[in-house]
Amino acid sequence: MQYFFISAFTEELIFRGILLYILTDKTGIQKAALISAAAFGIYHWFSYGMFGNEIIPMLYIFLITSLAGYVWGIAFVKSKTILLPLGLHFGWNLISSLVQKSQPYGEIIFHQVSKAALSDLNKLFASIFMGIFPSILMYIALYLMFRKKKLL
């Protein structure tokens, strides 16, 4: 659990606490949020060891991490503190580690009882849904939390 907090804390300091904060003054909130989110997505190519892989997995990682980075950028700008995006990021990492079989604790929690074969199209939709849906939920939560303030 300490690893998830430290990684989320470090990434939030870099991408929201420094990059987004500095860019907001120079480019405006919208551009700053997009640039910070894109940098966050590219960073995850390195942290996930994506170079040398095919382009589709790289685009997928870029999409889901950039979208999350954008939502956390909104959280930073609207809350005027790094604590909200830090909490969202830490929660994302922790829950991912518990529910995704590919993560360290996912293998402990999951026990396969049966297996259904999915078509390639269904696998694509499931992967996109699992990657994007949490960011959509966080965006909706932020919208409801800050509905009196216009989101980016």
Side-chain angles (χ1 to χ4, degrees):
M1 186 162 7
Q2 182 180 1
Y3 166 78
F4 299 120
F5 180 78
I6 291 171
S7 67
F9 182 72
T10 304
E11 291 173 6
E12 288 308 312
L13 281 179
I14 293 168
F15 294 101
R16 263 61 71 190
I18 296 172
L19 185 60
L20 180 60
Y21 183 78
I22 291 171
L23 288 174
T24 298
D25 289 338
K26 303 214 182 288
T27 65
I29 293 172
Q30 184 66 28
K31 279 186 182 177
L34 290 171
I35 292 168
S36 174
F40 189 68
I42 291 169
Y43 161 79
H44 279 86
W45 285 343
F46 293 96
S47 68
Y48 291 175
M50 295 297 295
F51 285 101
N53 287 340
E54 296 178 15
I55 191 73
I56 298 300
M58 289 180 72
L59 289 174
Y60 175 75
I61 292 300
F62 180 80
L63 174 71
I64 65 170
T65 56
S66 294
L67 184 58
Y70 183 77
V71 171
W72 297 333
I74 291 171
F76 175 73
V77 169
K78 294 300 174 182
S79 68
K80 295 181 173 60
T81 178
I82 200 146
L83 295 177
L84 182 56
L86 174 60
L88 293 170
H89 192 164
F90 173 67
W92 172 293
N93 289 354
L94 184 62
I95 290 170
S96 292
S97 75
L98 295 175
V99 300
Q100 291 181 359
K101 188 176 179 181
S102 63
Q103 297 296 321
Y105 298 109
E107 292 179 7
I108 297 170
I109 292 175
F110 286 109
H111 178 73
Q112 184 174 328
V113 293
S114 66
K115 191 173 188 178
L118 294 176
S119 69
D120 287 342
L121 188 59
N122 285 339
K123 286 180 188 176
L124 173 67
F125 287 132
S127 293
I128 291 172
F129 178 79
M130 289 186 300
I132 294 175
F133 187 68
S135 293
I136 292 170
L137 282 180
M138 285 186 280
Y139 183 85
I140 291 168
L142 290 173
Y143 175 80
L144 294 173
M145 181 184 288
F146 297 106
R147 67 179 148 227
K148 292 182 182 178
K149 296 179 183 180
K150 182 183 169 207
L151 290 181
L152 301 179

